[in-house]
Amino acid sequence: MTQSRFTGTDSYVATDDLTMAVNAALTLERPLLIKGEPGTGKTQLAEEVAKALDTNLIQWHIKSTTKAHQGLYEYDAVSRLRDSQLGDEKVHDIANYIVKGKLWEAFESDKRSVLLIDEIDKADIEFPNDLLQELDKMEFHVYETKQVIAARQRPLVIITSNNEKELPDAFLRRCFFHYISFPDTSTMEQIVNVHFPSLKKDLLSEALKVFFDVREVPGLKKKPSTSELLDWIKLLLAEDIPAEELHGDDPRKAIPKLHGALLKNEQDVHLFERLVFLNRKKSAQGNVDPR
Amino acid sequence: MFLELFFKLRKAEVPVSITEYLTLLEGLDKNLAGYSVDDFYHFARLSLVKDERFYDRFDVIFGEHFQGIKAALDEIFGEIPEEWLRKQAELFLSKEEMEQIEAMGGWDELMETLKKRLEEQKDRHQGGNKMIGTAGRSPFGAQGYNPEGVRIGQEKSRHRRAVKVWDKREYKNLDDSVELGTRNIKMALRKLRKFARQGAAEELDLDGTISSTARNAGLLDIKMVPERHNAIKVLLMFDIGGSMDDHVKLCEELFSATKTEFKHLEYFYFHNFLYEGLWKDNRRRHADKTPTMDVMHKYGSDYKLIFVGDATMSPYEITYAGGSVEHWNEEAGAVWLQRLLDVYPHAVWLNPEPEVRWERTPSIKITKELMSDRMYPLTISGLDEAIKELLKRTH
Ligand SMILES: Nc1ncnc2c1ncn2[C@@H]1O[C@H](COP(=O)(O)OP(=O)(O)OP(=O)(O)O)[C@@H](O)[C@H]1O
Ligand SMILES: [Mg+2]
């Protein structure tokens, strides 16, 4: 098999350190743990890596009730019970009731697949530890059928976390860790470009200015992220709002158009509007007094 | 050389283990870090640091370490002007040689080889090297080289990389060791989680029961599991008075991180000491006051009460009516604290102030007395003691 490298895709902007992280995980076959503010492209990364490597992506979205063993397999005893009541012949082979989990799926793949374990911090704190063995050895045992399921090709495992819970040290030691820092202006420009290739330059730069300003507002409950920026730009385009209207020079127009798309939290919207209002009052007084 | 970096990191309390160090070596062996320092920086961080809070400390140490290497190299290369280096570099190492060196041991080996070559060269060309005054630059700066050939002195990348990545200190605000210490926090969280899980009641495991009944060929087999969230109820009261500024963020973080673990966790804020009113939302503390009486009525005496505060103030604020600095209090703070303690037999006071200061601060002494000594420092062992106290049976 040829060694493939990841360098980002035409729909995803990967910085040097992120590229390094993915390639190291590919080469040394270690799971890659990705953290970062919401909307920094953690989930999409896995999709893009799969795309770039031309392989399939197996997604395992973790919820608070997800258990590690569900990634391996589940024994559907209820169906079996039902079948036994109905006198179905299937009931005699327990293998008919083994339901494959995501890891199993990934292990079965002929080509090295990408396995995304999304938002691992949602699960119980024991969850990562319960997967240590399987991720290390890339194999597990099915007790009911006495099979050993081993990976044909070790999948590339990408794990994301939003930092809701600490992850156990033993688990961390086995992973590569990368923190996606919030994009700087030029990276953000590239990201927007990837999504809106024909966006006018002046609108882009005005929009980014407003966006980064809003992020600076102290006391926001939720700072707008890349997703909000992209949604907002989509709206600006749909409403055909010209760049000039985003200018902050005129204090009376200081509230940017459609700012509700950037701020999703009601309290934040109020806070923001109040701040703009206060600024306006201040600058209005400033304008009148000296003359 | 890498080992030194490893130990420096450990000394700075970045938790790196041998496992991680071996991963680093393995990666270098497989040429992951290319031959540029930037690549090496990124790869070392990726394999050694497992928490963004340590990124900044890593940057500092890496910077120092790299500075050291650079100084060592400068001694050797010091006199060699870059112009000359640029022209000579391609001559020194052919493509084949590069590959050979790669196989031999990567970056370290390459430096060794180049060093030797350059020293030989230096002897031969003595004198002539000094003519251009750009001395003191190592060929292993941001330019690096890649296996296709030496690329020393690439204008473009040199300008772009004028500031080293690690010198930017981008991750400074992610480091929280300034206060309680990251290690402490981690441990503290673990303690609190354990606390949250203690005394968990059993509940019927429906799935388990169905499945084991099925396995049992339809004979009922009841399974019980510990309830996911336990029944422990916690009432937290935070001091957000001025002197707490240094601690408040940390304390909040500590408890909000465990919030999901508790089924019943209620937060309230107070200012310096307990009086007739508490706040749910700090920013609106002049508007949305909750009468302390209501809190005591609403949350039963099975709640465990935890105060978090430095208890550092003027003693009047505790012992006198009207002593509060923020408002006129009809009754003394001590009276209110006593009322709360009467309702909640399980109560502790966590104090982020270092314990050595407690004796010297009258208000802390008074508070501790009012708490019948149940004041604990906000440290691992303090938390341990506090939790033990909270779990005691009432007699
Ligand atoms: N580097 C990037 N290149 C291209 N698009 C990006 C990039 N980063 C973020 N985006 C866009 O931002 C949006 C959010 O990305 P994604 O859902 O992957 O974020 P996330 O980090 O998983 O967020 P969350 O923590 O909320 O799950 C997507 O529309 C994605 O296309
Ligand atoms: Mg996501």
Side-chain angles (χ1 to χ4, degrees):
Chain A
M1 225 178 91
T2 47
Q3 172 82 43
S4 328
R5 278 182 61 83
F6 176 71
T7 52
T9 65
D10 51 12
S11 49
Y12 192 80
V13 179
T15 49
D16 290 352
D17 47 352
L18 182 58
T19 312
M20 162 67 78
V22 173
N23 288 318
L26 276 170
T27 311
L28 297 189
E29 306 185 319
R30 297 279 200 291
L32 173 59
L33 171 64
I34 299 280
K35 282 207 293 194
E37 271 186 47
T40 40
K42 299 184 291 294
T43 304
Q44 212 201 336
L45 173 71
E47 292 164 25
E48 299 293 328
V49 173
K51 203 160 81 182
L53 302 180
D54 189 26
T55 186
N56 51 327
L57 170 70
I58 294 156
Q59 303 193 18
W60 188 14
H61 296 288
I62 308 302
K63 294 184 292 188
S64 66
T65 51
T66 309
K67 294 278 177 281
H69 74 83
Q70 293 169 334
L72 312 179
Y73 67 91
E74 283 183 279
Y75 169 35
D76 186 1
V78 177
S79 302
R80 194 170 185 210
L81 175 61
R82 187 198 53 220
D83 287 354
S84 88
Q85 305 295 313
L86 298 175
D88 196 317
E89 275 307 301
K90 264 168 62 184
V91 79
H92 298 300
D93 187 359
I94 199 164
N96 288 326
Y97 302 95
I98 301 289
V99 183
K100 293 175 186 173
K102 299 289 181 184
L103 258 74
W104 191 330
E105 227 182 282
F107 288 2
E108 264 188 344
S109 173
D110 282 323
K111 195 169 177 189
R112 176 202 274 188
S113 55
V114 175
L115 171 64
L116 167 67
I117 305 181
D118 207 15
E119 309 196 354
I120 193 166
D121 53 327
K122 292 271 183 303
D124 195 85
I125 45 175
E126 294 306 329
F127 180 90
N129 276 339
D130 292 347
L131 280 179
L132 282 185
Q133 279 288 321
E134 287 75 13
L135 290 180
D136 251 5
K137 298 232 171 73
M138 290 288 177
E139 65 172 48
F140 62 87
H141 209 97
V142 185
Y143 296 98
E144 285 80 356
T145 58
K146 304 189 174 53
Q147 281 170 286
V148 173
I149 308 298
R152 289 185 201 160
Q153 300 282 342
R154 289 177 75 96
L156 170 66
V157 182
I158 297 183
I159 301 164
T160 75
S161 162
N162 274 333
N163 232 358
E164 273 183 28
K165 292 196 188 82
E166 299 261 335
L167 299 170
D169 291 341
F171 178 78
L172 290 176
R173 275 200 294 277
R174 287 168 170 81
C175 298
F176 281 130
F177 169 73
H178 179 72
Y179 177 82
I180 303 187
S181 42
F182 196 83
D184 58 15
T185 315
S186 83
T187 309
M188 193 55 102
E189 234 174 73
Q190 292 176 46
I191 293 176
V192 175
N193 261 325
V194 150
H195 289 265
F196 304 97
S198 53
L199 187 68
K200 288 213 193 66
K201 272 242 152 27
D202 53 343
L203 184 60
L204 173 64
S205 73
E206 285 304 327
L208 282 181
K209 219 184 285 161
V210 172
F211 172 73
F212 281 104
D213 279 354
V214 171
R215 273 181 61 88
E216 290 298 305
V217 172
L220 285 185
K221 278 215 169 335
K222 192 192 171 303
K223 290 183 180 182
S225 71
T226 313
S227 325
E228 275 88 38
L229 173 66
L230 295 175
D231 288 348
W232 182 53
I233 292 180
K234 198 193 254 164
L235 278 180
L236 293 181
L237 287 174
E239 305 269 316
D240 208 10
I241 291 178
E244 301 82 69
E245 287 204 31
L246 295 180
H247 268 308
D249 303 351
D250 185 345
R252 267 157 305 170
K253 280 190 187 167
I255 294 190
K257 285 271 144 81
L258 307 164
H259 63 291
L262 285 175
L263 298 169
K264 299 265 174 70
N265 181 306
E266 204 180 325
Q267 264 174 307
D268 284 350
V269 175
H270 286 318
L271 175 71
F272 182 72
E273 284 168 352
R274 253 186 76 76
L275 272 176
V276 172
F277 177 74
L278 286 176
N279 274 341
R280 242 188 266 170
K281 230 165 77 175
K282 243 194 285 172
S283 61
Q285 282 164 353
N287 284 344
V288 176
D289 280 343
R291 265 160 258 173
Chain B
M1 184 167 84
F2 303 129
L3 204 57
E4 207 182 310
L5 176 65
F6 175 73
F7 282 118
K8 279 185 194 155
L9 286 169
R10 283 185 68 101
K11 205 167 148 223
E13 297 196 12
V14 180
V16 280
S17 72
I18 300 291
T19 318
E20 277 122 358
Y21 181 65
L22 292 177
T23 308
L24 175 75
L25 294 185
E26 193 186 336
L28 292 174
D29 193 46
K30 296 216 164 119
N31 275 333
L32 267 174
Y35 293 100
S36 88
V37 181
D38 275 11
D39 278 355
F40 178 64
Y41 163 77
H42 284 143
F43 181 63
R45 196 182 70 189
L46 178 76
S47 42
L48 298 176
V49 188
K50 300 302 164 69
D51 191 321
E52 69 276 13
R53 283 174 304 185
F54 300 122
Y55 270 14
D56 184 54
R57 249 179 279 173
F58 178 81
D59 283 358
V60 173
I61 304 226
F62 189 89
E64 281 171 23
H65 183 72
F66 182 73
Q67 215 40 53
I69 297 174
K70 200 171 160 303
L73 285 169
D74 282 353
E75 248 176 55
I76 303 156
F77 300 134
E79 318 249 281
I80 304 172
E82 226 184 303
E83 283 293 291
W84 181 84
L85 248 184
R86 190 184 316 195
K87 270 184 264 135
Q88 300 299 310
E90 257 102 353
L91 300 176
F92 285 138
L93 301 167
S94 67
K95 199 174 167 191
E96 290 74 31
E97 272 186 298
M98 297 284 179
E99 277 160 7
Q100 238 179 333
I101 297 167
E102 266 175 47
M104 271 158 63
W107 206 49
D108 262 352
E109 198 61 42
L110 177 81
M111 281 214 229
E112 274 306 305
T113 318
L114 243 182
K115 193 166 96 185
K116 274 193 214 116
R117 293 293 172 86
L118 286 171
E119 268 164 342
E120 289 163 22
Q121 211 65 19
K122 199 168 145 188
D123 288 339
R124 242 179 280 162
H125 290 258
Q126 235 179 16
N129 300 345
K130 289 181 183 153
M131 55 184 193
I132 303 169
T134 51
R137 216 158 296 168
S138 119
F140 297 94
Q143 305 93 330
Y145 99 101
N146 76 27
E148 281 112 53
V150 182
R151 291 210 204 109
I152 286 172
Q154 261 190 348
E155 295 309 327
K156 198 173 108 226
S157 77
R158 171 132 27 94
H159 287 299
R160 194 158 58 90
R161 297 285 163 81
V163 181
K164 296 274 174 290
V165 201
W166 53 90
D167 283 340
K168 286 195 219 150
R169 306 281 306 272
E170 276 180 65
Y171 304 97
K172 210 166 168 179
N173 58 355
L174 296 177
D175 191 338
D176 63 356
S177 70
V178 216
E179 286 136 17
L180 224 160
T182 342
R183 281 178 169 243
N184 278 4
I185 271 280
K186 240 188 189 160
M187 290 281 284
L189 278 171
R190 235 169 263 156
K191 296 273 178 217
L192 283 174
R193 276 194 189 119
K194 268 237 299 297
F195 174 48
R197 291 182 168 212
Q198 256 151 2
E202 294 242 301
E203 63 180 6
L204 178 67
D205 174 8
L206 197 55
D207 288 342
T209 302
I210 292 173
S211 106
S212 73
T213 302
R215 278 171 216 264
N216 224 4
L219 283 178
L220 191 63
D221 182 12
I222 291 179
K223 293 278 173 215
M224 301 294 283
V225 285
E227 206 188 340
R228 262 189 66 77
H229 294 279
N230 74 53
I232 283 188
K233 301 171 176 178
V234 173
L235 199 51
L236 259 183
M237 298 193 181
F238 271 117
D239 179 5
I240 33 89
S243 60
M244 276 292 286
D245 282 357
D246 302 340
H247 313 292
V248 117
K249 195 169 153 277
L250 190 81
C251 295
E252 272 193 330
E253 248 167 46
L254 180 70
F255 285 96
S256 61
T258 45
K259 205 158 55 184
T260 48
E261 309 280 328
F262 288 95
K263 198 167 182 175
H264 309 278
L265 177 74
E266 294 296 332
Y267 270 78
F268 287 96
Y269 295 104
F270 61 93
H271 188 252
N272 281 7
F273 210 77
L274 286 309
Y275 302 106
E276 65 281 355
L278 297 159
W279 300 272
K280 264 281 180 208
D281 182 345
N282 182 27
R283 274 167 308 153
R284 292 193 285 182
R285 84 187 136 100
H286 298 288
D288 295 345
K289 207 191 266 191
T290 310
T292 309
M293 271 302 181
D294 289 1
V295 174
M296 291 191 286
H297 288 143
K298 184 160 176 201
Y299 305 104
S301 57
D302 52 337
Y303 270 81
K304 320 259 182 212
L305 179 56
I306 304 179
F307 299 107
V308 183
D310 59 3
T312 302
M313 66 203 97
S314 130
Y316 299 119
E317 294 177 55
I318 303 176
T319 52
Y320 281 84
S324 164
V325 285
E326 259 211 344
H327 72 301
W328 177 262
N329 54 310
E330 292 291 338
E331 288 174 289
V335 174
W336 281 105
L337 179 59
Q338 196 50 55
R339 272 193 195 122
L340 281 162
L341 293 177
D342 288 345
V343 175
Y344 304 102
H346 293 286
V348 293
W349 189 296
L350 294 173
N351 195 331
E353 278 293 302
E355 214 172 343
V356 289
R357 267 184 232 158
W358 294 7
E359 270 305 302
R360 277 182 274 137
T361 314
S363 62
I364 297 185
K365 270 175 79 175
I366 299 172
T367 309
K368 193 163 170 239
E369 262 160 44
L370 287 169
M371 290 298 301
S372 324
D373 262 2
R374 288 171 296 173
M375 180 180 282
Y376 304 91
L378 201 53
T379 60
I380 302 307
S381 57
L383 265 178
D384 240 357
E385 290 297 307
I387 288 171
K388 234 180 263 162
E389 175 62 42
L390 287 176
L391 291 174
K392 259 192 206 159
R393 284 176 188 279
T394 21
H395 351 263

